[in-house]
Amino acid sequence: MRLRLFAGLVELQPHPWFRPRMLSPVLCSDLAALEPEYTEADVISTVEFNQTGEFLATGDKGGRVVIFQREPQGEYNVYSTFQSHEPEFDYLKSLEIEEKINKIRWLPLHNPAHFLLATNDKTIKLWKVSERDKRAEGYNLRDEEGRLKDLSTITTLQVPVLRPMDLLVEASPRRVFANAHAYHINSISVNSDTETYLSADDLRINLWHLNITDRSFSILVHRTPENMEDLSEVITVAEFHPHHCHLLAFSSSTGTTRLCDMRAQALCDQHAKLFEEAVDPSRRSFFSEIVSSVSDVKFSHSGRYLLTRDYLTVKVWDLNMENKPVETYQVHDYLRTKLCSLYESDCIFDKFECAWNGTDSVIMTGAYNNYFRMFDRASLRDVTLEASREMCKRRAVLQPRRVCVGKKRKETDVSVDSLDFRKKILHTAWHPKENIIAIAASNNLYIFQDRLTPNGHHNTPEIQSAPPK
């Protein structure tokens, strides 16, 4: 995989209603910058900051994980790259298992080494990423190349010593959690107890202990009809509460989100709360159930709210109010008239993710045409921005975009008929503490950050390019 980094100053027009200020891209990482065309394996499939925001991990459809580290000057550069999963074949079911990384989740930091979970459709792996700047020399039984010595030639004993060496970042698999899901794994979530995590597929949620790989506990098994064609609901995503290790939420294809309390019973087939918005019967259509399927759910950092994303909207739910969301934001309502063509092209089944900022005051999610949307919860204002290579040029201006259904009002407006549905932003992540976001658009990774430094001065980074990796 070739990789080149670009960094340049990008400015934004002021938006006085938005607090904090809108983000501006300072780093554009293009996973195929040297090649005019990219392969399907280069497409980014997941993006995740660690708990401090110092590291950012991405996974792609080729089974690779690329980790970026934030430098003192604020830029993110490649820290480690490794192959996490390989393509496999299930001979019992005559089924090919793709190497695509579906989700990455960081474990809390307890020592200088970093740990993360990465999963494809069937297998979850725990990876350790560590640094090494010294090597041991002077072994008694092995030579410098690691080969065993002739014992008859050893006449003295020596004490091995550590010698300085160039910094080496090593990624090694520490655990492999496999053979627990009959269907494709769609989500993993690390518990706040830092000892357990969950994995979910269409019909099952398993609870794992990080030190036990040969068994897991099924906390939820969805009831299935005798004829699978009659199956009307599947699990789409599951997430642990950020503070209470006994609470978890999972959403389904019918638009419902359930909160489960593991203190009540070991099996979570009986939910504690059900978050569902009543649908007006007069507005029902053939596509109502499809567009209501929840593709992502995120607890707020405070733990009081739930953020859910369906095809057309993002909704904020108060854990104390189940009958309706406290906030609903239209992401691309202009697509309601195009649901038929989106259904024929399978775009209606795209799974968009959503994210909170560090203070739970702003919401972000993706859309088509490489657009992404931000919603300010206090003012209820929103903005549409575009992630594109042109924005990586120095002194470029990142302007708000507007999609119009009818006649254009401004020259910069984009008609809904000219949207490119092949360009879509499905995966997004927000730095847990600062105004830094990561946007995955096809094989490109865009990192947007606030132009103000902690002391109030503007960043003015120079354009740079790193050699291909």
Side-chain angles (χ1 to χ4, degrees):
M1 175 176 55
R2 296 180 175 180
L3 189 146
R4 176 171 287 181
L5 303 179
F6 302 93
L9 175 63
V10 183
E11 299 176 348
L12 275 172
Q13 293 181 343
H15 293 274
W17 49 266
F18 195 94
R19 296 292 186 272
R21 296 287 184 181
M22 280 304 181
L23 307 175
S24 57
V26 173
L27 173 68
C28 166
S29 169
D30 177 10
L31 298 185
L34 303 180
E35 303 167 9
E37 298 293 335
Y38 62 89
T39 63
E40 186 72 12
D42 293 324
V43 175
I44 299 173
S45 55
T46 184
V47 182
E48 185 77 8
F49 281 101
N50 74 333
Q51 285 78 8
T52 63
E54 180 186 0
F55 292 91
L56 170 68
T58 67
D60 62 27
K61 292 187 176 181
R64 296 163 296 201
V65 173
V66 180
I67 300 177
F68 298 87
Q69 182 182 29
R70 192 182 186 190
E71 303 295 339
Q73 63 271 25
E75 299 175 0
Y76 282 85
N77 290 316
V78 176
Y79 178 72
S80 176
T81 302
F82 58 91
Q83 187 74 30
S84 176
H85 287 72
E86 300 283 355
E88 300 177 18
F89 188 82
D90 189 337
Y91 292 95
L92 294 178
K93 299 180 180 179
S94 298
L95 180 68
E96 292 184 0
I97 302 174
E98 294 182 347
E99 65 270 34
K100 170 191 170 187
I101 306 297
N102 293 338
K103 292 291 180 181
I104 290 175
R105 289 293 183 265
W106 293 87
L107 270 63
L109 187 64
H110 294 299
N111 55 58
H114 300 271
F115 293 85
L116 58 86
L117 291 168
T119 182
N120 65 350
D121 289 340
K122 298 292 184 180
T123 303
I124 306 165
K125 294 183 179 181
L126 174 64
W127 287 90
K128 177 184 178 181
V129 182
S130 57
E131 298 179 356
R132 185 156 61 93
D133 59 358
K134 294 181 176 62
R135 68 171 180 269
E137 294 182 356
Y139 288 109
N140 289 281
L141 301 181
R142 295 181 181 274
D143 58 21
E144 297 300 328
E145 297 182 359
R147 295 172 299 192
L148 285 173
K149 296 180 180 179
D150 184 359
L151 298 181
S152 62
T153 63
I154 301 176
T155 58
T156 60
L157 293 178
Q158 57 183 341
V159 179
V161 295
L162 294 176
R163 303 290 187 189
M165 60 175 287
D166 294 337
L167 180 65
L168 176 65
V169 179
E170 297 178 317
S172 56
R174 303 308 299 268
R175 306 278 190 277
V176 177
F177 308 88
N179 305 320
H181 287 276
Y183 302 94
H184 292 175
I185 299 173
N186 55 47
S187 54
I188 53 177
S189 178
V190 180
N191 202 346
S192 59
D193 63 10
T194 69
E195 294 183 352
T196 58
Y197 75 94
L198 66 79
S199 60
D201 63 22
D202 290 349
L203 299 176
R204 182 185 298 268
I205 299 178
N206 289 332
L207 181 66
W208 298 84
H209 194 283
L210 287 167
N211 292 326
I212 302 175
T213 62
D214 59 350
R215 61 186 181 277
S216 63
F217 182 73
S218 296
I219 57 177
L220 176 66
V221 179
H222 203 291
R223 298 175 182 175
T224 57
E226 294 183 2
N227 186 356
M228 291 297 289
E229 294 182 358
D230 297 330
L231 186 66
S232 59
E233 182 182 23
V234 295
I235 300 168
T236 55
V237 61
E239 187 83 7
F240 265 123
H241 191 279
H243 309 304
H244 302 303
C245 61
H246 55 87
L247 293 180
L248 64 97
F250 71 93
S251 298
S252 73
S253 58
T254 59
T256 61
T257 301
R258 296 171 173 87
L259 183 71
C260 299
D261 190 341
M262 292 190 292
R263 295 174 304 179
Q265 54 186 15
L267 294 177
C268 297
D269 51 353
Q270 298 295 325
H271 54 266
K273 292 187 177 183
L274 175 66
F275 302 93
E276 183 178 17
E277 185 177 20
V279 180
D280 185 357
S282 62
R283 299 191 61 182
R284 282 190 174 274
S285 67
F286 172 78
F287 305 106
S288 295
E289 186 173 330
I290 299 176
V291 300
S292 65
S293 176
V294 178
S295 58
D296 195 18
V297 59
K298 295 285 176 59
F299 280 98
S300 63
H301 294 83
S302 65
R304 177 177 176 179
Y305 299 99
L306 270 173
L307 178 64
T308 61
R309 170 69 204 265
D310 56 45
Y311 189 70
L312 296 175
T313 66
V314 285
K315 299 174 181 177
V316 178
W317 301 81
D318 191 320
L319 292 185
N320 298 319
M321 188 170 71
E322 305 174 51
N323 59 335
K324 63 178 181 180
V326 293
E327 300 162 26
T328 300
Y329 302 98
Q330 300 294 332
V331 179
H332 36 212
D333 197 53
Y334 45 79
L335 295 182
R336 290 188 182 274
T337 59
K338 293 188 169 294
L339 294 180
C340 185
S341 59
L342 291 169
Y343 177 80
E344 293 176 352
S345 63
D346 285 342
C347 287
I348 201 172
F349 301 105
D350 287 333
K351 299 182 183 300
F352 293 92
E353 296 178 1
C354 53
W356 299 90
N357 72 334
T359 59
D360 299 333
S361 60
V362 184
I363 295 166
M364 174 180 62
T365 191
Y368 291 107
N369 212 55
N370 276 4
Y371 290 166
F372 61 97
R373 303 267 284 146
M374 287 185 171
F375 304 92
D376 186 274
R377 298 182 61 203
S379 63
L380 301 182
R381 300 290 297 275
D382 63 87
V383 70
T384 301
L385 300 173
E386 180 183 5
S388 64
R389 293 189 183 186
E390 288 72 18
M391 295 302 101
C392 293
K393 297 179 180 178
R394 190 181 183 190
R395 302 294 180 185
V397 177
L398 184 60
Q399 297 182 354
R401 301 297 186 184
R402 180 178 174 272
V403 180
C404 58
V405 178
K407 188 177 180 180
K408 292 185 178 181
R409 296 181 184 178
K410 300 180 181 180
E411 186 177 351
T412 56
D413 289 352
V414 178
S415 171
V416 65
D417 295 322
S418 62
L419 293 177
D420 190 344
F421 294 102
R422 296 169 300 177
K423 298 180 178 179
K424 59 191 77 173
I425 293 178
L426 302 178
H427 311 290
T428 59
W430 204 310
H431 191 287
K433 299 178 181 179
E434 300 182 33
N435 289 330
I436 301 175
I437 60 174
I439 304 291
S442 182
N443 64 317
N444 301 321
L445 174 68
Y446 299 90
I447 296 179
F448 295 71
Q449 71 181 29
D450 197 336
R451 294 179 62 248
L452 292 179
T453 60
N455 59 11
H457 295 99
H458 288 272
N459 287 320
T460 55
E462 298 295 329
I463 294 180
Q464 68 174 24
S465 67
K469 303 292 183 182

